[in-house]
Amino acid sequence: MRILHFHSDGNKTIAEYVALLCRVMGEYAEVAAANDIKSLTRQIKQKRPDIIHLHGCWTMQNAIAAMIAKRKLIRTVITPHGQLEPWIIRQHYIRKKLPRILLYQKTIVNRAYSVIVMGKMEEFHLKQLKWNPRIETAYNSIITDTITEEDMCRTIYGIYDKVMNTDILKLMNRETINATSALIKAGLTGNHLWLNDHEYGLFRTPNNIEWDKLTAYVHQEGISDVVTKGIDVLGLPQPDTAPTEKPFYHPKNLISPEPLSASISIKKDKGNSKDNKETACGNIFSYTDTLYFTEMMRNVRKLTSRRRLTLSHIVETADTLRTRAIDEGKAAEILRGKRLYKFTGRIMQLLADMTGLEEGFMPVPPINDRQTNRIKTIINKHLEI
């Protein structure tokens, strides 16, 4: 992990604190520091940091540093060093603090992935401000003997790790995203022969796959079991990382997704019920399965309208299409009657993109348009803080 500290107000206590972090944490991370914008831009170019850790408040240089980080897609963490305590904010409030709050200070804190405070009182006051819910406490070993330098740095490094495990899809490279889709496909089919040459090719150069990010992502999405099965099907070694031990920041008001089947009362038939229909080609379709699928699409649309559709729902839909005997003609008729036909076509496109579902399993032709992209954005952003 690469960390770049930035402090700009000439505060000797802050400078000493940053120097301590660089010295102790430098044993297990790439750490650098900058105290002006010119040095910051140079360090960003040279070090390519994962996180910029801002120290202190109220300076225009901090505001510029935060803007640069946003433009460069670098995550920020901020330590206020007590400068957001209520008695500090009250000093010259109308003339100095309020304009700076409105111009940049609140935005800096709000956009930070985490706010690191140095005590319970500071934590309480930050919570009262309600500028950022992601507040972590790391006692300062310089001003208290209740924590050692090493323990303080380990605590802060743990916060950095939590930041890097949040919104993890944004950090995954294209090969890792494609590998996730291929592993989902292998896990759902249970057979490596379903993968095409391109999907197989992803695992011929496994070093391009960021396994730590992949395992953390699928755990957060609730599809670890499918991906683990896919890894076994392809004969790949299981990653050493333990994603369940990796904490991350949840978005506000996150609701754990329920399976689509939870609100569907139709049960799958056993293959010999009277509603089965055999075609001239010998295929057996089930009216029960067909109704089940159309009800599933109705639930998918509800979740989409509430912006709660997740990758686990997409995987569940793909599994349904691969395992149930759905009558395409009847499904299309029912979907048209429920005004779900085009919506289902868009979901089919996402099933192809995210789980590798082939058109032969799709009861409706895929549709790739702006609405499809909007639905995909909902899926990809549901864990975004």
Side-chain angles (χ1 to χ4, degrees):
M1 193 182 300
R2 300 179 296 275
I3 311 298
L4 176 56
H5 294 275
F6 183 76
H7 60 103
S8 62
D9 62 358
N11 186 304
K12 290 183 179 180
T13 303
I14 293 178
E16 182 183 357
Y17 178 81
V18 170
L20 188 157
L21 292 178
C22 291
R23 175 172 54 81
V24 178
M25 205 177 290
E27 297 178 7
Y28 46 87
E30 294 182 40
V31 190
N35 56 15
D36 58 54
I37 298 301
K38 184 177 180 180
S39 174
L40 177 78
T41 53
R42 184 177 67 253
Q43 295 274 25
I44 288 174
K45 186 176 181 179
Q46 293 175 351
K47 307 291 185 180
R48 300 177 64 189
D50 299 304
I51 295 172
I52 293 178
H53 189 156
L54 303 170
H55 295 268
C57 301
W58 309 116
T59 69
M60 182 56 72
Q61 286 207 326
N62 266 29
I64 296 171
M67 285 192 295
I68 292 172
K70 183 175 184 294
R71 190 170 66 245
K72 299 285 187 180
L73 303 179
I74 302 171
R75 303 182 174 202
T76 58
V77 167
I78 183 168
T79 298
H81 290 272
Q83 294 177 15
L84 291 178
E85 297 281 25
W87 50 87
I88 298 293
I89 294 176
R90 284 197 296 267
Q91 294 175 6
H92 310 291
Y93 179 74
I94 299 297
R95 186 166 59 89
K96 290 186 177 180
K97 298 298 170 47
L98 180 58
R100 295 177 187 183
I101 288 172
L102 296 175
L103 282 173
Y104 57 80
Q105 191 56 61
K106 183 177 179 180
T107 300
I108 292 173
V109 175
N110 179 260
R111 286 178 179 170
Y113 271 73
S114 183
V115 181
I116 302 176
V117 299
M118 298 181 178
K120 293 299 179 183
M121 183 177 293
E122 189 181 9
E123 178 184 354
F124 173 79
H125 290 141
L126 260 294
K127 287 181 178 178
Q128 293 293 102
L129 275 180
K130 297 181 179 179
W131 288 359
N132 190 320
R134 298 175 297 279
I135 301 170
E136 304 276 3
T137 300
Y139 292 102
N140 186 349
S141 63
I142 295 175
I143 59 178
T144 179
D145 58 3
T146 60
I147 190 170
T148 65
E149 295 178 351
E150 290 77 12
D151 286 342
M152 179 187 75
C153 288
R154 275 194 291 268
T155 299
I156 294 173
Y157 187 83
I159 296 168
Y160 295 155
D161 197 43
K162 193 172 179 180
V163 167
M164 296 306 293
N165 286 323
T166 302
D167 287 352
I168 203 161
L169 182 62
K170 292 180 180 177
L171 302 176
M172 291 165 61
N173 61 31
R174 179 50 55 185
E175 289 85 352
T176 305
I177 294 172
N178 291 339
T180 303
S181 174
L183 289 170
I184 290 170
K185 183 177 181 179
L188 290 177
T189 61
N191 192 328
H192 68 279
L193 296 176
W194 281 99
L195 270 64
N196 58 40
D197 290 341
H198 173 70
E199 291 163 336
Y200 251 123
L202 295 167
F203 304 101
R204 294 192 184 102
T205 53
N207 291 337
N208 294 334
I209 301 172
E210 301 167 312
W211 288 101
D212 55 337
K213 292 184 176 67
L214 189 154
T215 54
Y217 173 65
V218 299
H219 169 70
Q220 293 171 16
E221 290 286 357
I223 57 169
S224 291
D225 54 343
V226 175
V227 170
T228 299
K229 182 180 177 182
I231 292 172
D232 286 337
V233 165
L234 296 178
L236 301 170
Q238 289 289 342
D240 296 330
T241 55
T244 54
E245 299 174 3
K246 291 186 174 183
F248 66 101
Y249 291 108
H250 298 76
K252 190 177 180 180
N253 301 322
L254 176 68
I255 299 174
S256 298
E258 280 192 348
L260 295 168
S261 58
S263 58
I264 300 177
S265 59
I266 302 170
K267 296 180 180 179
K268 185 179 180 181
D269 59 58
K270 301 299 183 180
N272 59 359
S273 67
K274 294 180 181 179
D275 69 347
N276 286 356
K277 179 180 71 174
E278 185 170 354
T279 69
C281 299
N283 297 320
I284 295 179
F285 296 130
S286 164
Y287 185 61
T288 301
D289 282 354
T290 303
L291 282 179
Y292 184 95
F293 171 71
T294 57
E295 284 298 300
M296 177 174 275
M297 285 298 98
R298 191 166 65 89
N299 287 348
V300 170
R301 185 170 66 177
K302 284 182 180 178
L303 289 170
T304 302
S305 66
R306 297 170 186 169
R307 305 187 71 80
R308 290 181 181 172
L309 189 65
T310 71
L311 182 57
S312 64
H313 296 133
I314 294 297
V315 170
E316 184 184 356
T317 305
D319 186 47
T320 296
L321 288 170
R322 287 186 180 277
T323 57
R324 289 183 179 255
I326 297 167
D327 185 334
E328 295 182 9
K330 191 63 180 178
E333 178 187 336
I334 296 172
L335 290 168
R336 285 193 177 96
K338 294 178 180 289
R339 297 183 178 179
L340 284 168
Y341 188 83
K342 283 190 175 181
F343 174 83
T344 302
R346 295 178 178 111
I347 297 300
M348 294 303 105
Q349 181 64 49
L350 297 180
L351 292 172
D353 294 343
M354 296 180 165
T355 73
L357 187 73
E358 300 85 351
E359 288 196 28
F361 288 100
M362 298 180 185
V364 172
I367 298 173
N368 191 6
D369 59 10
R370 290 182 181 179
Q371 291 296 329
T372 307
N373 290 331
R374 289 194 183 103
I375 299 170
K376 189 173 187 178
T377 298
I378 290 170
I379 297 167
N380 289 339
K381 289 194 172 185
H382 83 102
L383 288 175
E384 191 173 281
I385 58 173

